[in-house]
Amino acid sequence: MKKITVLIVLLLVLVGCNQRNADLEDTINSIVKDESKSEIKIQSLTNVDWDKAFLFTPYSTEKSIEEQLGTGFNDKSNIDFRDDIYLSI
């Protein structure tokens, strides 16, 4: 279950960037399928200089997301009504 959640999050990150990176997707999929691995280090898979990352779980409200981000947020995913997505920012 943990690997599925990680996979969903990472795929959302890819979709959120509005760019499809097939190589990165394939790498993530191969790591998730490898039962001997329990952790994916995103920084080792990308050249993005991470400062912070947020993961919002199903039913997170737009207000709680805005409070954590410290800025306005327009939730187009309707995460507050859905249990099938995670939002990574």
Side-chain angles (χ1 to χ4, degrees):
M1 182 67 171
K2 196 176 203 179
K3 286 186 176 187
I4 292 172
T5 301
V6 171
L7 177 62
I8 291 169
V9 169
L10 292 174
L11 291 176
L12 285 173
V13 168
L14 295 174
V15 171
C17 293
N18 291 325
Q19 296 178 352
R20 184 170 185 270
N21 185 328
D23 291 336
L24 181 57
E25 287 180 36
D26 292 342
T27 302
I28 292 169
N29 282 325
S30 68
I31 293 170
V32 170
K33 289 177 185 176
D34 184 350
E35 293 184 12
S36 69
K37 299 193 181 201
S38 62
E39 182 177 296
I40 297 175
K41 295 184 180 187
I42 298 172
Q43 190 169 11
S44 69
L45 302 176
T46 68
N47 59 0
V48 176
D49 192 19
W50 295 87
D51 189 33
K52 278 187 181 180
F54 294 89
L55 175 64
F56 299 103
T57 58
Y59 305 116
S60 294
T61 64
E62 191 169 316
K63 181 179 177 183
S64 70
I65 294 171
E66 288 178 343
E67 288 173 358
Q68 290 182 53
L69 295 177
T71 187
F73 179 74
N74 182 11
D75 178 23
K76 295 179 182 178
S77 68
N78 295 316
I79 194 172
D80 54 339
F81 296 108
R82 299 179 60 180
D83 64 0
D84 62 332
I85 62 169
Y86 288 75
L87 181 61
S88 176
I89 299 174

